[in-house]
């Protein structure tokens, strides 16, 4: 193999964590490939609340400038593709992309995001990101003082409803047919939050502005902004394919399945670490992961992990597909 074809770092995910990691590694003169199918890279349902300079910006507004800033780094490229599989290799990792590209890299940074899909209710997609939200730290401040609803029946949904009382005294709890236990009901009653038990069959309004929730049997409840609590799904199975337990990831360090063993060269960052991650925090996790990855590479260059030409007695590693890159 031509050793010039081996990347220092492959970053899976082009959101705040991935872009921040790439910016720092570009400054470190590392050969980096970001693998992500598009510039937006994040779900439409999240804004950059509390992020200085980007407060209230959607990913569509805040991420493209970051992509543009990467163009000055000749060592950083952006492959518009999905990362479908990964395996350990002689040099570190082989990343198999959806377009057929195979990239060999010494370090792998997983910065792909958790995805909180919109509720499976008629009309939800129309309002998602404008008046249907998940994270009150990132979204929804614009709806303060209005009719606000919370969809869910578990303790997390109750916590969310009580938190939203900071914005409005008119908070309604929609259990959507789920059972709310006695302890949670007592907390909702104490907060003077109305509980609507019926199944929500549709969200209605004009353009992307929610107006009401249609409840079973044709009844309706006014609601100008709806928040939901739902399990989050990891956007990539790559970590699991390497033997990682996603519930035990920790930021900007090697993946450690126990207290001692590590998967050398594997780092995780951003929303892959913490569900409900605030944009600014995800970006900082990307910087931490990039610094840790660069430090690891510096140390590896002086250890048995250094990339060196194969001896004549060793058959060189050959990829099954040529690496095809698309410049940023």
């Amino acid at each position: 193999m031509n050793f010039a074809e081996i990347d220092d770092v492959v970053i899976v995910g082009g959101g705040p964590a991935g872009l921040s990691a790439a910016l720092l590694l570009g400054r470190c003169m590392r050969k980096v490939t970001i693998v992500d199918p598009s510039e937006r890279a994040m779900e439409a349902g999240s804004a950059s609340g509390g992020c200085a300079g980007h407060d209230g910006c959607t990913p569509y507004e805040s991420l493209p400038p970051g992509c543009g800033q990467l163009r000055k780094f000749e060592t950083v490229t952006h492959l518009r593709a999905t990362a479908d599989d990964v395996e350990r290799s002689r040099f570190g990792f082989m990343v198999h992309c959806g377009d057929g590209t195979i990239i060999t890299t010494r370090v792998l940074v997983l910065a792909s995001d958790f995805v909180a899909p919109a509720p499976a209710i008629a009309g939800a997609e129309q309002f998602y990101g404008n008046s249907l939200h998940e994270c009150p730290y990132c979204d929804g401040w614009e709806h303060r003082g209005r009719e606000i609803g919370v969809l869910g029946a578990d303790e997390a949904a109750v916590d969310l409803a009580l938190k939203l009382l900071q914005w409005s005294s008119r908070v309604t709890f929609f259990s959507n047919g789920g059972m709310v236990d006695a302890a949670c009901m007592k907390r909702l009653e104490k907060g003077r939050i109305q509980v609507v038990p019926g199944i929500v069959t549709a969200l209605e309004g004009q353009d992307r502005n929610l107006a009401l929730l249609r409840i079973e049997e044709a009844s309706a409840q006014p609601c100008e902004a709806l928040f939901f609590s739902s399990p989050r799904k990891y956007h990539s199975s790559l970590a699991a394919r390497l033997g990682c337990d996603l519930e035990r990831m920790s930021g900007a360090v090697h993946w450690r399945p126990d207290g001692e063993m590590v998967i050398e060269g594997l780092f995780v960052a951003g929303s892959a670490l913490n569900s409900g991650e605030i944009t600014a925090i995800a970006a900082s996790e990307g910087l931490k992961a990039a610094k840790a990855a660069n430090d690891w590479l510096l140390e590896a260059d002086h250890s048995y992990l250094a990339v060196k030409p194969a001896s004549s007695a060793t058959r060189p590693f050959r990829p099954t597909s040529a690496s095809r890159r698309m410049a940023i």
Side-chain angles (χ1 to χ4, degrees), residues 8 25-26 28-32 75-76 106 294 297-298 301:
D8 290 316
L25 289 166
C28 295
M29 302 296 291
R30 293 297 181 183
K31 185 178 179 184
V32 179
T75 59
V76 180
R106 301 172 65 193
N294 186 64
L297 285 165
L298 289 170
D301 286 338

Side-chain angles (χ1 to χ4, degrees), residues 207-281:
D207 298 324
R208 301 188 66 198
N209 298 311
L210 183 63
L212 61 86
L213 272 60
R214 187 70 60 185
I215 314 298
E216 58 185 345
E217 299 179 357
S219 63
Q221 288 283 336
C223 182
E224 297 172 278
L226 181 65
F227 285 79
F228 66 97
S229 173
S230 71
R232 301 176 71 87
K233 179 182 178 182
Y234 192 55
H235 193 67
S236 170
S237 62
L238 301 183
R241 296 190 189 196
L242 291 170
C244 300
D245 179 353
L246 301 181
E247 297 298 323
R248 299 177 62 190
M249 286 184 172
S250 58
V253 295
H254 303 106
W255 159 247
R256 296 179 181 273
D258 53 36
E260 299 176 0
M261 300 297 292
V262 301
I263 295 180
E264 292 288 352
L266 176 63
F267 299 83
V268 291
S271 297
L273 309 176
N274 304 298
S275 62
E277 188 73 280
I278 298 172
T279 300
I281 296 176

Side-chain angles (χ1 to χ4, degrees), residues 152-189:
D154 58 7
E155 187 175 356
V158 173
D159 290 341
L160 180 57
L162 294 170
K163 185 181 297 183
L164 290 170
L165 289 174
Q166 296 177 102
W167 286 349
S168 176
S169 59
R170 296 181 291 167
V171 177
T172 303
F173 191 86
F174 297 92
S175 67
N176 198 25
M179 295 295 294
V180 183
D181 64 36
C184 286
M185 283 296 296
K186 184 174 293 187
R187 295 176 64 199
L188 291 170
E189 291 171 2

Side-chain angles (χ1 to χ4, degrees), residues 35 157 239:
V35 180

